[in-house]
Amino acid sequence: MLAIALILGLVSVGLLCRALFKLAVHALPFFVAVTVGMTVLNAGFGVGVAILADITAAALILAIGRALFASSTSLLLRGLVAAAFLIPAAMAGRQVAFGAAALIAEPSPFWHEIIGWSGALLVAGYALQQLLHNDLFRPLQSEPDIDRPLHSSRL
């Protein structure tokens, strides 16, 4: 029975880490959605309006950010957009690493910081990889050999 519990515990931790890494690039839209939703609720509108505002704000931030990152030729603008997406992802990764370290054992403050910053760097690196390899079309890049036939042109 203990072996099954350990196996299921490892599987659940693995699935949670996978979800963290896959959703890391969406930390900025999530933070914006929560902020907009709380503002709309505090203004006196209903829950339905707040949910609609949340979804709209998150979708706009994600779409505008990815489109700016994919279509911009300015290195400064691409760096600013990347930083806007990566800083919340790193913050989320650091907090998850802190929580995981506290669940496993209570490390010393030095190791607590090392584990937290390691988690931040891992999650931010994976979010950068996701941001760099998104599927948006880059109109400013030329694609050579678009009309190339399927067979080889060698003799």
Side-chain angles (χ1 to χ4, degrees), residues 96-135:
V96 168
F98 276 159
L103 280 177
I104 295 171
E106 188 60 39
S108 67
F110 173 75
W111 285 108
H112 201 82
E113 289 296 323
I114 296 295
I115 292 170
W117 286 107
S118 298
L121 289 175
L122 282 172
V123 172
Y126 191 79
L128 179 64
Q129 186 263 341
Q130 278 185 324
L131 193 62
L132 289 174
H133 292 100
N134 61 5
D135 295 333

Side-chain angles (χ1 to χ4, degrees), residues 28-47:
L28 175 68
F30 179 75
F31 288 159
V32 169
V34 169
T35 303
V36 167
M38 294 305 290
T39 304
V40 169
L41 279 176
N42 288 336
F45 294 101
V47 175

Side-chain angles (χ1 to χ4, degrees), residues 2-13:
L2 181 63
I4 293 173
L6 286 174
I7 291 170
L8 289 177
L10 287 175
V11 168
S12 64
V13 167

